[in-house]
Structure formats: C-alpha cells, structure tokens
Amino acid sequence: MAGLYDTPEMIDAFLEEVEEQLEVLEQSILELEQNGETPEVIQKIFRVAHTLKGSSSAMGFEEMKILTHEMENVLDEIRNHRLKATKTVINALFQCLDQLRMLKQDFVSDRNNIKTDISSTVNKLKEILSGGYNQNQYIKQDKGVQNTEQDNKTIEFELDFDQRYQLIQALKSELNILVCKVKISDDSLMKTARAYLILNYFNQMGNVITTEPNVIEPSDDIQISDVYYLLITKLDAKTIKAKILNELVDIDNVDIYPYDIKLSEQQAFAEHREEQINRNKISVNTYAQKRTIRVDVERVEKLVDLVGELVIEQTRIYKVGNELHSCYISDGMVDELLMISNHVSRVISELQEGVMKMRMLPIQQLFNRFPRIVRDLAEALGKEVELVIEGEETELDKTIIEDIADPLIHLIRNAIDHGIEPSEERISIGKPPKGKLIISAFYQENHVVLIVQDDGRGIDVQKVKECAIKKGIITEKEADTLTEQEIINLIFHTGFSTSQEVNEISGRGVGMDIVRNHIEKLNGIIEVETKHGEGTKFTIKLPLTLAILPGLLVRISDEVYALPMSNVVEIVRKPENEIGFIKGQAITLIREKVLPLIWLHDYFNIQRIKMHHKNIFIVVLGVAEKRFGLVVDELIGTQEIVVKPLGSYIGKVETFSGATILGDGSVACILDVGGIAKMVENNKILTHNM
Amino acid sequence: MNLLDTQYIVYELANEKYALKISDVYEIIKMQKITPVHNSKSFLEGVINLRGKIIPVINLPKRFGLNHYTVTKSTRIVIVKSRDEMVGIIVDKVNQVVRFSDIQPPPEMMAGIDGSYFEGIGIAGEEIVSILKIDKVLYE
C-alpha cells in the first residue's frame, strides 16, 4: 500500500495533514491541561492520534504509527474512564507532540533515516497504561463488551485515504452512510464465514467500506460475535434492517444507525484529498489545481508594487482623459477612451483587492504558538499563568506577522520571567495566585494594535534608573531631568537588562532593544505603560505598510497632503470670526463641542495664506479618543492613495506616515494624524513650561 | 583598488567643483518638483518620484552650511546609491567624467567645509576637484 502513496504529491499531502493535526493536538492538550478532562477534548486528541496513525501507516511511516498507536491506547483508557488525565499523562502527551514534530522533521529531511528515538516515549506511555490498568490483555478483551454496553456510536473505524474519500464522495452524492451492527448467533458454527456472507449480502445493497473486526482477512484467534459494517447505500436503515431479519439466518440482532462522520474535521481533509486522488486517477499529465500553493513572498510583494503603479497610472490616465474631454467635447474617441479608462479602473480596483488579500493572514497562526510557549515557560519557572488571547482573527500582512513574532515572544518571556510573580508572592500581596497575561490584537484606523499585558510586578522605575546609570547609559545628572516615562523607555536602550543573572529564558540584555529595532523596522510604535506592583502593558502599533487606502487630498499653503479617510471625521466650513482662543490655543465650536484648531503652517514653518473669502476649511480629524480640527487652505478631493514609505534615509518623521504619488506624478506626503496630535500635544507642554 | 583608475563624475555647486565616484552614481536627472518633508533632517530638500519610487533629495550647500542654491536650466539631481538607499543630491551643473592623475589627502578645512567630508583632492590637468565621501556626507 505504501507504494501507491509514494508520489511527491501524496507525501506533501501527508505532511500537510500531519502539520494540521499536530496543531490541533497542541491546542487540545493545552485545553485538556487548562480545563481538565472533558469527553470532547479527549475525543479530539484521540481522533488526532487515530488519524495520524491511519495516515502514517498508509505512508509506511512505522515510527509515527507506533507512537500514535500507543497514544491511542492511553487515550482510549482515559476515554473509558479507566485512567485519569493526570499531570504525568499530560506531560507525556506533550512529549508525544514534540516527538511527532521531530519525526515529521526527520521524515522531511530523509524518510529512510529516521533519527528520532521514540522508545522512551513509547515506554512512558506503556508505563502509564500499565499503571492505570494492570492487565493489558484483559482490557483488549474487554473492549468489545465495553463497546456494546456503551453508546453504539463510539465505534471508530480505521479508515485509510481511499476509504475516507469514498465516504466523502458518498456524503456529497447524498447516500446514506450506515453502521450495521450485526450480532451473529452464538450457536452459529462458522461465525467468520457467516460474517463474510453478511458482508457479501450488504455489498449487494450498497458498498461496504470496512468492517470491524476485519472479516475479509480475519486473524485466526478472532472471536466474532458483534460485527460492524460500514455501509454506503441508497437504502435507509429501516429497509435494510427488515430485509436482513427476513432474509438472513443465524443472526440474533441487527442494529443500524447512521455513521457519525466528523464533518468539520473531515471536510478540510477530504477536499484536498479529493484533488490528490483525482489527480492520481485522471492522468499524470493533467495537473489538477491545488487548493493552496506556496509562493515566495517577494513575488507577491512585486505584484503589490505593480498594482500600486497601476493605481497611480490609472489616476493619471483618468486625469488626462478628462482634460481631453474638456478640450474635444464632441469627439467620440475621447468618450470611448473615458469608458475604457473607467472599466480599467474597476478591474484595477478588483485586482488590488485580490492582491492585498493574498498577503493578509489572520494573526491566529502566530497566536497559536503562544499557549505552548507560555505553558512551558510557566512550568520551567514554577509560576502559574493564565493566558488570555483576544482578536486572533485580526488579519494582517504576512510579512508583518513573521517579523513581529520574535518581539512578541520576547515580550511574553519577559512578562512571565520578570513580570509575573510566583504564586506565594502573589498571595502574600493579595493578588490572585494565578498571574494573568493578555495578548490581544485589533484594528485602529489603519493600524493594527497588538497588546501584551501582564498583572505582575510592573517595572521598577528606580531600579531602571540605577541600572541605566550603572551601565553608563545615562549620567546621574541626566537621570534627574528625565520624566518617569523617559526612564522607563530606557529599557529599550541597547545593552540594558535589569535581570540580575543571565538565564536561558530572558537573554542577556539584548532583549528589549531588539524588540524596539524590529518594531522600528516595521515603521511601528511601541509604548509601555507600567504601574509598580500592578503590571505592565506593552502596546505595539503597526501600520499597514503596503496598504492602498482611500485618502483625502488637501492643500496647505501651496503644498498638497494626503489624509487617510479613516481619520477624517467630518469636513466643515466656518467663518473666521467663529474662532476663539483659550490660553493662546485656537478653538472653535463644532456641534457644541470645543475643538482645538491646528494650522500645520505653524509647525511646518510656512506662511499662512491670507484668505480671500471669510470662511476657512476645517477637516475634523480623529485618532483614538482625540479629536481636533486641521485648518486647510483647499480641499482637492478624494483618491486612492498608495502608501509608500519615506525610506530609511529619512527615517520616521512624526507627522508623516509615508508618501504617495499623485495623478500628475508629483509626490504628496501622507499626514499621520496620530503623530500630529502628539506633536501638537508636546508643543503645548512646551508653551506651558515657558 | 587603485583610486587613480576610478572614474569620477565632476559637478559644480556654488562655483566649486566636486566629484563623486562613478560607481556611487546611479542616475542623473533634470531638476523636478520636490515635495518638502517638514520636520525632518534640516538639509533634506524633500522627496521626488523616480519612476514610482520615493527618493529623498538633499541640499548639499545647506548640508555644508553654505549659500542657498538657485535653480537654473543646468540644475540637476544626481541620484547616488549609498547603503542600499537611493538619495538625490542637487547640483548646479554636471560637468564631465574624469580620471585623476593625482589624488592628494584633503586639508583640514576646504572652502569652509570640514575636510573629513572629503576623500581627497583630485587633480586632472589644470583642474582641482574635491572628492566627496558620500557615506559621510549623507549619514553623519
């Protein structure tokens, strides 16, 4: 059988399945550890082991088969309440998970040379098994009885790829999938032969996928009384039952019920398997479309760039077209050009959407790694940590997900190592014994915000200060002039670490500055909020670097700027005499709310234009809870803007989030509303001090 | 690498002649509309669009604290590639490509500019040209 599945496509499919299953396994074990034993979670883990066993044996991957088989045994015991899912068991399961990963790795590098030694894990599982139940043999015999006593639906058939495929096909063509439990009379002489005859009988009514026990190639010592047939048929359960009871002899009882095919699990599996098998069946030459393909990110990036160019050029064509139109109003050719231009722009916007989506992935795939990391760390440090993950569905650019992984993991490590206190310490200061670590992701305007928050010790400002002075990062004199926040930000300084000794969990003072570097590279912002004794909160704000977004073009003096539409709350026109001043700050009333007004002219050192008309244009901008009015000299219009970074030479400029290219080929800076709000705030503080 | 074998591009700025290694120069383009980027580096003139790429353009006289330039017909932007980034430099005029017959170490000060900005003084026939250390000029 192994030969049939030896094609590269099958191996790929196998590996993909293993990867998927291992992820489920990891989640389930964590769930088991956290929420304790529930039938569902045990069943989930069991199913993974079972599936892996099936596919690994189909691939002829002995080691994985043996290991999963042992896992299955243990889980089966738990499922039947003869074993408890103790800490030892859970740890053993984790060990299995790791070994399965290693096995998979070995399989990838050289399937004929599996280096991972599974014997210790297998022994451990066996130990657990014998500890839970001394007579293995007895359990085996017991199994059949157990099954009949229990809910019938617990029957699990061992299905290989082909059989599953048939099941899925049957589901699609809306055939019945039935389990037929036939109890052969005790006084029947040749039970095996009888069972085989029944199989043939069923095959006339439909298609028997498999039987339990195996009646086609029965082992010698088999004691058949109950036989399960997995049957695909057009007939319904009642008809079959009636027919059997009428037409067959030597049967005590028949029980027929639909097979509980686990849809959610099977579906995904089935769909790509379907394609695999189709391909095998059709011909070698016609390659069916695969469901997923791996593409070099750079290729996608190139596409995004090109689409960006297209968007820009399209706005230019549109502009030229309109100009032509106003010159040659009655020319049919120009009309046609405009029509084509419109159509092209529709196609481009669809293309743009598609390309952008190609790069977006839910951050889940990164967050899924955290429970395990947190668990292992907490275990190693003897701390109790409750992990809360929020917003894992938040989608963001794939490259960002990859680049943000290290900084996030680092923050998590820090939180557990330095932040969260050991249980005794927590109890003594009146905190719940379990530390809480919250990791969340959400959108805010055109940013993705990631938060890592713990309820631990918080950062000791005094300690940071002392350490920074000791390490020569700042002098004592400087230290006195710094605000608390500035001191806390020193943790991002190169060569800074408050941990007394170097340990394997939180590095050696190269930590936080790497976090900072990573985030800067992504053009992001990180902020720390900390309260001594109450915890620390890191907020990472990442822009969607390659986004193409709707923007509002405005003119300030003779310069054109773009504003992300998502920041624009409203646009109003106000007579100049409705502007008041409070402590030198210009304000105005809009919808009964006092809004500070900002002339960017002042910050950019350009002349305010004397208005010919009395009204001024105010673009009301919002960022987080802040609102303010930006006074502009002209509203130009809205346009899709392709965000281009200003580049590392210019670096991060607070007021701009990037630049974009306009229809006439010139460049306009994109205003960063959050940055402007901050700049204005800082300036205010300055004027106060003066 | 023998410095004398290298080709240089000579350009004029505020009536002084400067040179850049030809391998540093990516492209020379005509003066175009430069979009200012406020609150950035003081000598940053702004950004331009070079075939869809945003390229910063710096003002060399401002960098050296010299007089302001005036745009003429011959004003050019020399695009250099330094540290994998393209940066434009405004020059009054691009003269020619030369090989120097001699290159001497730079004096401490040169036309009011700190000598450490220069690789050396190139001599080609009658001409004396200051060779710029582009990395230092751009980044330090």
Side-chain angles (χ1 to χ4, degrees):
Chain A
M1 188 170 258
L4 182 68
Y5 293 104
D6 244 7
T7 58
E9 290 86 12
M10 283 317 271
I11 290 175
D12 277 352
F14 168 67
L15 290 174
E16 240 167 71
E17 173 172 31
V18 171
E19 188 57 46
E20 247 165 54
Q21 292 293 334
L22 288 182
E23 228 160 77
V24 176
L25 184 60
E26 174 158 21
Q27 308 269 310
S28 315
I29 304 176
L30 284 165
E31 196 183 323
L32 172 65
E33 186 176 44
Q34 242 163 36
N35 306 341
E37 196 182 321
T38 59
E40 292 81 36
V41 73
I42 297 291
Q43 185 62 24
K44 233 196 290 181
I45 302 174
F46 182 88
R47 224 178 285 143
V48 171
H50 189 78
T51 313
L52 285 178
K53 184 173 126 186
S55 44
S56 59
S57 83
M59 295 302 294
F61 192 177
E62 275 306 305
E63 288 82 357
M64 189 174 274
K65 188 182 121 191
I66 293 167
L67 186 57
T68 44
H69 177 73
E70 290 302 328
M71 282 173 75
E72 225 183 36
N73 283 345
V74 170
L75 288 161
D76 195 43
E77 290 301 286
I78 299 174
R79 198 164 63 161
N80 294 329
H81 306 290
R82 273 167 296 190
L83 244 177
K84 276 238 157 321
T86 55
K87 191 96 195 150
T88 340
V89 174
I90 291 170
N91 280 337
L93 286 175
F94 271 122
Q95 196 179 334
C96 291
L97 172 66
D98 291 341
Q99 290 235 290
L100 287 171
R101 284 232 163 94
M102 281 152 75
L103 283 174
K104 185 195 150 221
Q105 276 309 316
D106 286 355
F107 190 84
V108 173
S109 50
D110 182 4
R111 61 175 298 191
N112 295 319
N113 181 19
I114 305 294
K115 292 191 208 83
T116 309
D117 181 19
I118 56 165
S119 57
S120 76
T121 318
V122 168
N123 283 338
K124 203 174 211 170
L125 290 171
K126 281 192 168 142
E127 238 168 67
I128 291 170
L129 207 55
S130 59
Y133 219 97
N134 274 324
Q135 291 145 301
N136 257 336
Q137 229 25 54
Y138 178 63
I139 299 166
K140 280 262 156 84
Q141 284 185 357
D142 200 30
K143 204 169 166 184
V145 185
Q146 274 283 333
N147 271 337
T148 49
E149 281 169 359
Q150 275 184 356
D151 182 6
N152 279 323
K153 293 185 185 178
T154 55
I155 179 81
E156 284 270 356
F157 291 99
E158 282 186 29
L159 300 172
D160 64 26
F161 290 166
D162 258 342
Q163 293 169 335
R164 276 180 223 197
Y165 174 68
Q166 286 178 22
L167 281 187
I168 301 300
Q169 282 302 315
L171 264 188
K172 282 202 176 143
S173 29
E174 294 183 339
L175 293 170
N176 292 322
I177 301 171
L178 302 170
V179 177
C180 307
K181 191 182 111 188
V182 181
K183 189 165 171 55
I184 298 168
S185 307
D186 283 340
D187 47 4
S188 166
L189 282 175
M190 292 167 70
K191 285 180 185 145
T192 327
R194 175 61 55 199
Y196 190 73
L197 286 175
I198 299 170
L199 170 72
N200 283 340
Y201 180 75
F202 276 134
N203 267 332
Q204 285 167 17
M205 292 189 281
N207 182 13
V208 176
I209 299 295
T210 185
T211 64
E212 179 68 40
N214 190 341
V215 297
I216 300 162
E217 300 163 30
S219 35
D220 296 335
D221 58 336
I222 202 161
Q223 278 299 321
I224 294 180
S225 67
D226 284 342
V227 184
Y228 295 86
Y229 297 89
L230 185 57
L231 174 68
I232 298 177
T233 176
K234 282 184 198 148
L235 306 171
D236 62 31
K238 255 192 195 156
T239 332
I240 296 175
K241 190 168 176 175
K243 269 184 113 169
I244 292 175
L245 289 176
N246 274 335
E247 295 172 20
L248 289 177
V249 290
D250 271 358
I251 289 171
D252 278 2
N253 193 16
V254 182
D255 204 355
I256 300 178
Y257 51 86
Y259 181 57
D260 176 24
I261 182 161
K262 280 90 192 172
L263 263 179
S264 57
E265 183 202 55
Q266 302 276 4
Q267 202 95 61
F269 164 84
E271 274 172 25
H272 73 239
R273 190 77 50 223
E274 184 182 334
E275 269 143 356
Q276 297 298 339
I277 289 169
N278 273 346
R279 183 176 324 160
N280 283 354
K281 279 186 182 161
I282 301 167
S283 83
V284 196
N285 297 338
T286 50
Y287 280 108
Q289 189 76 46
K290 249 195 187 180
R291 235 165 67 90
T292 56
I293 47 163
R294 282 171 207 283
V295 184
D296 193 336
V297 178
E298 271 185 18
R299 286 199 201 170
V300 180
E301 210 125 290
K302 181 86 194 150
L303 271 185
V304 173
D305 276 353
L306 288 175
V307 170
E309 304 288 293
L310 263 184
V311 171
I312 291 165
E313 295 311 319
Q314 172 53 32
T315 49
R316 298 185 64 175
I317 291 178
Y318 178 74
K319 210 177 157 182
V320 173
N322 271 342
E323 272 161 27
L324 275 176
H325 184 69
S326 55
C327 293
Y328 309 97
I329 295 174
S330 55
D331 196 323
M333 294 278 273
V334 176
D335 281 343
E336 205 170 334
L337 175 70
L338 281 182
M339 254 164 61
I340 297 170
S341 153
N342 278 338
H343 180 68
V344 170
S345 83
R346 264 202 306 281
V347 174
I348 289 176
S349 68
E350 254 170 65
L351 180 67
Q352 176 191 331
E353 202 177 312
V355 171
M356 296 313 282
K357 269 202 191 124
M358 236 154 76
R359 302 174 46 94
M360 302 289 267
L361 285 175
I363 198 165
Q364 193 169 16
Q365 69 159 34
L366 172 60
F367 279 11
N368 278 349
R369 285 161 64 186
F370 294 157
R372 181 72 195 278
I373 292 170
V374 169
R375 179 209 174 259
D376 284 358
L377 273 175
E379 193 96 315
L381 293 163
K383 293 180 180 178
E384 282 185 61
V385 181
E386 183 195 349
L387 176 67
V388 180
I389 288 182
E390 290 161 358
E392 62 259 75
E393 72 286 348
T394 310
E395 284 199 343
L396 95 177
D397 199 288
K398 184 179 158 60
T399 42
I400 297 184
I401 294 186
E402 278 160 10
D403 289 349
I404 202 66
D406 281 351
L408 278 185
I409 289 170
H410 201 91
L411 291 177
I412 291 169
R413 286 189 171 152
N414 269 347
I416 299 173
D417 192 13
H418 305 309
I420 291 170
E421 312 90 336
S423 302
E424 310 85 59
E425 196 183 323
R426 291 180 66 90
I427 293 168
S428 72
I429 50 173
K431 283 183 178 177
K434 232 180 186 185
K436 199 169 188 180
L437 180 63
I438 304 172
I439 301 169
S440 57
F442 54 91
Y443 295 112
Q444 195 181 59
E445 308 125 46
N446 292 309
H447 294 88
V448 171
V449 179
L450 301 171
I451 289 177
V452 178
Q453 183 175 17
D454 67 66
D455 67 345
R457 292 189 188 102
I459 297 171
D460 187 336
V461 178
Q462 200 52 40
K463 217 164 146 194
V464 172
K465 200 195 234 173
E466 281 163 20
C467 189
I469 293 171
K470 209 170 76 198
K471 299 219 164 132
I473 294 167
I474 50 165
T475 63
E476 251 172 270
K477 235 188 197 166
E478 280 171 331
D480 290 336
T481 63
L482 293 178
T483 63
E484 205 157 285
Q485 191 61 46
E486 281 169 322
I487 290 172
I488 289 166
N489 284 340
L490 287 176
I491 59 170
F492 294 113
H493 221 279
T494 313
F496 185 92
S497 172
T498 49
S499 188
Q500 304 300 320
E501 74 261 41
V502 168
N503 60 26
E504 63 165 314
I505 289 152
S506 322
R508 36 189 68 78
V510 290
M512 291 312 274
D513 68 311
I514 284 187
V515 171
R516 189 203 57 199
N517 284 345
H518 267 93
I519 291 166
E520 262 181 14
K521 227 188 261 167
L522 291 169
N523 259 328
I525 298 166
I526 183 163
E527 266 161 16
V528 203
E529 283 168 58
T530 183
K531 243 190 183 154
H532 193 51
E534 282 178 32
T536 312
K537 177 176 170 187
F538 287 95
T539 309
I540 300 171
K541 214 170 159 194
L542 300 171
L544 303 172
T545 40
L546 285 148
I548 300 174
L549 42 99
L552 174 70
L553 297 182
V554 299
R555 196 186 303 279
I556 292 173
S557 187
D558 60 348
E559 292 162 13
V560 178
Y561 290 94
L563 283 160
M565 267 317 251
S566 53
N567 289 121
V568 177
V569 181
E570 63 178 319
I571 299 167
V572 288
R573 233 181 340 171
K574 281 255 164 189
E576 219 162 336
N577 55 22
E578 278 185 32
I579 297 168
F581 288 90
I582 297 181
K583 287 185 183 162
Q585 169 67 55
I587 50 128
T588 191
L589 268 180
I590 292 174
R591 296 185 205 294
E592 279 139 45
K593 269 196 177 159
V594 179
L595 270 189
L597 289 183
I598 291 162
W599 276 262
L600 273 181
H601 312 66
D602 304 351
Y603 297 93
F604 289 168
N605 241 334
I606 42 184
Q607 281 289 311
R608 284 197 202 179
I609 291 182
K610 250 292 148 264
M611 282 288 138
H612 302 301
H613 35 86
K614 287 243 168 70
N615 284 337
I616 58 167
F617 290 108
I618 301 168
V619 180
V620 181
L621 297 171
V623 54
E625 77 290 348
K626 290 193 199 91
R627 302 280 181 274
F628 61 90
L630 181 72
V631 181
V632 300
D633 297 322
E634 189 191 337
L635 295 162
I636 298 170
T638 56
Q639 190 190 311
E640 287 281 289
I641 52 177
V642 182
V643 182
K644 302 206 169 222
L646 285 172
S648 63
Y649 182 70
I650 296 179
K652 183 100 192 81
V653 182
E654 205 177 29
T655 35
F656 305 118
S657 57
T660 190
I661 294 166
L662 302 178
D664 64 357
S666 67
V667 183
C669 289
I670 302 166
L671 292 172
D672 179 351
V673 178
I676 293 172
K678 222 172 220 170
M679 176 180 75
V680 172
E681 222 159 73
N682 290 342
N683 248 42
K684 228 190 256 167
I685 294 165
L686 272 179
T687 44
H688 271 290
N689 287 348
M690 288 195 297
Chain B
M1 186 180 60
N2 190 351
L3 282 175
L4 296 180
D5 279 346
T6 324
Q7 284 187 313
Y8 290 86
I9 287 182
V10 176
Y11 61 88
E12 258 174 58
L13 194 59
N15 297 323
E16 295 279 336
K17 285 203 172 88
Y18 299 93
L20 280 169
K21 250 188 250 134
I22 206 164
S23 56
D24 285 337
V25 176
Y26 178 80
E27 189 171 358
I28 297 168
I29 56 171
K30 282 199 177 142
M31 187 63 180
Q32 51 170 288
K33 191 180 161 226
I34 300 176
T35 304
V37 179
H38 296 284
N39 301 342
S40 179
K41 294 181 168 76
S42 61
F43 52 90
L44 181 79
E45 195 66 21
V47 287
I48 54 164
N49 165 19
L50 182 69
R51 290 186 296 277
K53 273 207 169 80
I54 306 281
I55 311 275
V57 175
I58 65 158
N59 182 332
L60 220 44
K62 238 190 204 168
R63 174 78 179 97
F64 296 140
L66 300 176
N67 290 337
H68 227 283
Y69 73 97
T70 39
V71 177
T72 64
K73 254 197 161 163
S74 59
T75 303
R76 295 286 181 275
I77 299 174
V78 179
I79 313 280
V80 297
K81 208 165 187 182
S82 162
R83 301 191 189 176
D84 274 337
E85 278 275 320
M86 295 215 268
V87 180
I89 298 172
I90 301 170
V91 302
D92 289 342
K93 189 178 170 193
V94 174
N95 286 17
Q96 79 260 62
V97 176
V98 295
R99 266 197 184 97
F100 294 119
S101 55
D102 188 18
I103 294 176
Q104 288 180 3
E108 254 174 54
M109 284 294 276
M110 209 155 68
I113 304 165
D114 189 336
S116 62
Y117 285 125
F118 299 100
E119 205 94 58
I121 308 292
I123 295 161
E126 296 284 286
E127 272 191 310
I128 298 174
V129 180
S130 338
I131 304 166
L132 278 181
K133 234 187 236 173
I134 196 64
D135 264 19
K136 190 169 166 75
V137 169
L138 292 181
Y139 287 94
E140 284 164 39

